Amino acid sequence: LLRLCAVDAPRPWEIIAITFTNKAAGELRERLNVACGPRAADIWAHTFHSACTRILRRDIDRLGYSKSFAIYDEDDKKRMLTGILKDLDIDEKKFELRGISAEISRAKDNLVTSRKYEELAGSDYYKRIVARVYIAYQKRMLAANALDFDDIIVKTVELLQGFDEVREYYQDKFRYVLVDEYQDTNHAQYALCSILAGRHRNLCVVGDDDQSIYKFRGATIANILEFEQQYPEAVTIRLEQNYRSTKSILDAANAVISHNQGRKGKKLWTKNASGDKITVYEALNESDEANYVAGRIFSISKGKNFKDFAILYRTNAQSNALEYAFKRNSIPYRIIGGTRFFDRA
């Protein structure tokens, strides 16, 4: 009966949905379970790394690795790179480990192999040093039968590009490819999505070019800005109604974001009330800012609980001044998703 409700309806195992975080993937699976019941288990709803690991466990032996490969976290990677710098007699004071590690990650994000990186380094002394480390690192990772987080995606792309039967298997298998937070994809992730959707060209991406903030992590906003050029038959649906914010907040957000260069453009709107006007206070320093916040809470807290107030800051380090101000003014508080400054070692 269900098959008669749609024209050529896809079967669950023909769908792959990819997102960035384990939390988002878990929520996606929960919603699918509610909507589809037991059949939802056949849908590939994964993070990029989880989906790629599943592909690699099946066929990575074609690349010279064992299917029981280990996955190295950042600490494992750091230990191996530290040993390589020592063995190559590279002074870590002159060539910072973190910088070399980041440069290798950037190369992998752009699908630049160690040998290709060496070739592109030319006469650049720093890049020639990085190339030596990169080559040694990849050799040792292969010998240890291990992949780092960047390798998980890079090796999947390498596998799909290099072996026709593997690529055709997954292109046939996945009739529909869905990708969330597409504005945060890097070149390797873009290549992966393009390959998987290469046969049926049923690729649905969800993203917001105005929320692209991960360029420092290799995200390429061009992926979403140029999507319609790659897929001219694509249908674009703008989700412009906002359900969370007041009109005042949206008007301010629209005014600020309109100055961005390289964006598709949209106008967020809401049925919500106008709400309070936004107040902008230009503080002299972080202490002045914290005292102003504490004062504002006191001035409008009459008849309200302190738990009705929320303060958002960009980094955990910024909580220090705020916590001092609250201590001085006997304002109770708690930190969400972090450690109170006075509880830190």
Side-chain angles (χ1 to χ4, degrees):
L1 179 61
L2 283 172
R3 295 286 292 172
L4 297 176
C5 293
V7 177
D8 195 20
R11 290 161 291 190
W13 54 86
E14 296 176 327
I15 302 170
I16 181 171
I18 307 175
T19 187
F20 271 83
T21 66
N22 290 322
K23 182 180 179 181
E27 184 177 333
L28 179 58
R29 284 192 291 268
E30 287 175 10
R31 293 188 182 191
L32 287 169
N33 284 330
V34 172
C36 305
R39 292 170 302 161
D42 291 326
I43 298 173
W44 280 41
H46 295 292
T47 63
F48 273 101
H49 291 97
S50 177
C52 288
T53 299
R54 192 168 171 179
I55 292 171
L56 292 172
R57 291 291 183 200
R58 183 178 182 271
D59 287 301
I60 197 173
D61 54 321
R62 297 168 186 263
L63 298 177
Y65 293 80
S66 163
K67 294 181 180 180
S68 60
F69 62 87
I71 298 174
Y72 278 13
D73 62 18
E74 286 301 309
D75 287 336
D76 298 323
K77 179 179 178 181
K78 182 179 179 181
R79 277 192 293 272
M80 180 169 280
L81 286 172
T82 300
I84 290 171
L85 290 182
K86 184 177 180 180
D87 292 344
L88 295 179
D89 198 24
I90 296 172
D91 188 350
E92 197 174 330
K93 292 179 181 178
K94 293 181 180 178
F95 301 95
E96 188 183 14
L97 177 67
R98 185 169 60 179
I100 291 176
S101 178
E103 183 69 12
I104 292 172
S105 285
R106 276 192 292 271
K108 290 183 180 182
D109 285 345
N110 289 302
L111 299 178
V112 177
T113 65
S114 58
R115 292 298 179 185
K116 185 65 176 178
Y117 186 91
E118 180 183 40
E119 181 183 320
L120 294 172
S123 59
D124 187 311
Y125 183 66
Y126 178 76
K127 289 189 175 182
R128 287 168 68 89
I129 293 294
V130 173
R132 290 175 60 201
V133 177
Y134 189 5
I135 291 169
Y137 176 68
Q138 290 306 112
K139 285 181 178 178
R140 293 194 187 186
M141 291 293 280
L142 178 59
N145 194 39
L147 304 178
D148 62 26
F149 290 127
D150 298 315
D151 285 329
I152 291 173
I153 296 175
V154 171
K155 293 300 178 183
T156 304
V157 173
E158 185 180 332
L159 182 66
L160 294 172
Q161 288 179 334
F163 297 90
D164 294 346
E165 60 271 32
V166 178
R167 180 177 63 255
E168 290 168 6
Y169 171 81
Y170 285 104
Q171 286 182 340
D172 285 339
K173 175 179 175 58
F174 297 128
R175 287 178 56 197
Y176 294 90
V177 179
L178 302 94
V179 187
D180 193 18
E181 303 291 358
Y182 196 67
Q183 78 279 353
D184 293 332
T185 52
N186 58 36
H187 179 67
Q189 292 161 340
Y190 159 82
L192 174 69
C193 298
S194 297
I195 293 169
L196 291 178
R199 172 155 300 179
H200 298 289
R201 293 180 68 81
N202 290 323
L203 176 61
C204 172
V205 303
V206 180
D208 183 357
D209 50 302
D210 290 333
Q211 293 185 43
S212 181
I213 60 173
Y214 290 117
K215 185 176 181 180
F216 70 96
R217 277 197 334 212
T220 307
I221 194 173
N223 292 348
I224 193 166
L225 293 178
E226 298 172 4
F227 183 82
E228 289 152 305
Q229 295 176 25
Q230 184 185 8
Y231 297 93
E233 70 274 31
V235 176
T236 301
I237 302 171
R238 284 179 167 80
L239 305 177
E240 296 178 311
Q241 183 174 3
N242 182 289
Y243 300 90
R244 297 175 177 175
S245 304
T246 62
K247 289 180 181 177
S248 293
I249 290 174
L250 282 188
D251 288 344
N254 283 326
V256 171
I257 208 72
S258 66
H259 296 286
N260 272 18
Q261 296 180 352
R263 63 189 293 262
K264 286 184 173 295
K266 57 184 174 295
K267 185 76 172 178
L268 298 181
W269 61 276
T270 184
K271 290 183 178 179
N272 295 337
S274 294
D276 296 336
K277 290 185 177 180
I278 295 172
T279 300
V280 177
Y281 177 76
E282 188 172 347
L284 296 173
N285 50 46
E286 60 180 10
S287 296
D288 182 30
E289 178 184 52
N291 290 330
Y292 173 78
V293 171
R296 285 290 293 158
I297 290 174
F298 266 130
S299 69
I300 59 177
S301 63
K302 298 172 183 177
K304 298 179 182 178
N305 293 319
F306 285 121
K307 68 180 181 180
D308 293 332
F309 296 86
I311 299 167
L312 308 180
Y313 44 79
R314 189 171 57 84
T315 66
N316 286 329
Q318 292 175 288
S319 75
N320 184 356
L322 290 165
E323 292 186 63
Y324 268 114
F326 293 160
K327 288 278 188 183
R328 286 195 300 269
N329 292 281
S330 299
I331 297 176
Y333 68 92
R334 62 192 179 112
I335 303 292
I336 307 297
T339 305
R340 291 161 63 106
F341 176 75
F342 295 99
D343 291 341
R344 295 174 197 165

